[in-house]
Amino acid sequence: MTSDTHRYRVDVEWTGNTGAGTGHYGDYARDHVIRIEGKPVLRGSSDPAFRGDPTRHNPEDLLIASLSSCHMLWYLHLCADAGLVVERYRDQAVGLLELSGAGGGRFRDVLLQPQVRFRPPADLTLAKTLHARAHALCFIASSMNFPVRWHPDLAQANEPDQER
């Protein structure tokens, strides 16, 4: 492995055996734990639509969260380099998953909707162009086989939030 290659290790353990294993589709819980060394344990399950526990994280939510946070981290980096001072950043990302007739499915689209507020004076034209650069640099978005779009709401910090 070169210095340009990074390895990530994740331990996922199914904890949903209710006593009968996977003897029947309805007889087991989808619960699992996700362990990453040195970090808090994540409690996972499947989406409630697929017999999962709604109080636990599901893979679909985590995928959207990964895309959103990767984009945000690159965007903040680029803004700092460009002298744009971000005071608030919030993204309400939405993903569209389509199921196939065979029981599987795939994500068709993810829309990132970052609301970013800058310390004045800020060049909002530059701020908008940095989203395209953040998208190009995002490791997660670059790995997807579906469109990841973004529609930012950018304003000076002293301007009121716009309605969506």
Side-chain angles (χ1 to χ4, degrees):
M1 187 163 34
T2 70
S3 62
D4 290 342
T5 303
H6 300 267
R7 182 180 308 257
Y8 297 89
R9 295 183 187 275
V10 176
D11 175 19
V12 177
E13 180 182 1
W14 174 54
T15 59
N17 186 347
T18 60
T22 59
H24 184 271
Y25 182 73
D27 290 345
Y28 63 93
R30 278 56 180 170
D31 296 355
H32 56 278
V33 292
I34 302 166
R35 293 183 189 92
I36 302 167
E37 188 175 332
K39 299 176 183 175
V41 172
L42 289 173
R43 296 173 354 129
S45 188
S46 61
D47 184 279
F50 310 112
R51 305 183 65 92
D53 181 341
T55 67
R56 291 176 170 242
H57 298 289
N58 66 62
E60 297 81 8
D61 289 337
L62 294 172
L63 176 68
I64 305 306
S66 293
L67 283 164
S68 178
S69 62
C70 186
H71 183 93
M72 177 194 67
L73 292 168
W74 271 112
Y75 187 74
L76 296 175
H77 173 120
L78 294 170
C79 285
D81 285 352
L84 294 169
V85 179
V86 175
E87 292 190 345
R88 289 192 333 253
Y89 185 110
R90 179 181 181 182
D91 185 9
Q92 294 176 312
V94 178
L96 176 63
L97 173 71
E98 289 182 353
L99 300 179
S100 69
R106 65 184 299 258
F107 274 92
R108 292 290 180 190
D109 181 75
V110 169
L111 175 62
L112 306 178
Q113 303 179 91
Q115 297 174 338
V116 188
R117 298 300 175 259
F118 298 90
R119 179 179 301 153
D123 180 346
L124 297 183
T125 302
L126 172 61
K128 186 172 184 175
T129 65
L130 292 179
H131 278 286
R133 183 78 178 126
H135 175 73
L137 292 168
C138 174
F139 311 134
I140 308 301
S142 296
S143 302
M144 299 295 104
N145 67 350
F146 54 83
V148 178
R149 300 174 297 118
W150 61 96
H151 179 74
D153 172 4
L154 309 173
Q156 307 286 338
N158 57 352
E159 295 178 15
D161 290 343
Q162 298 176 9
E163 292 294 318
R164 287 206 172 266

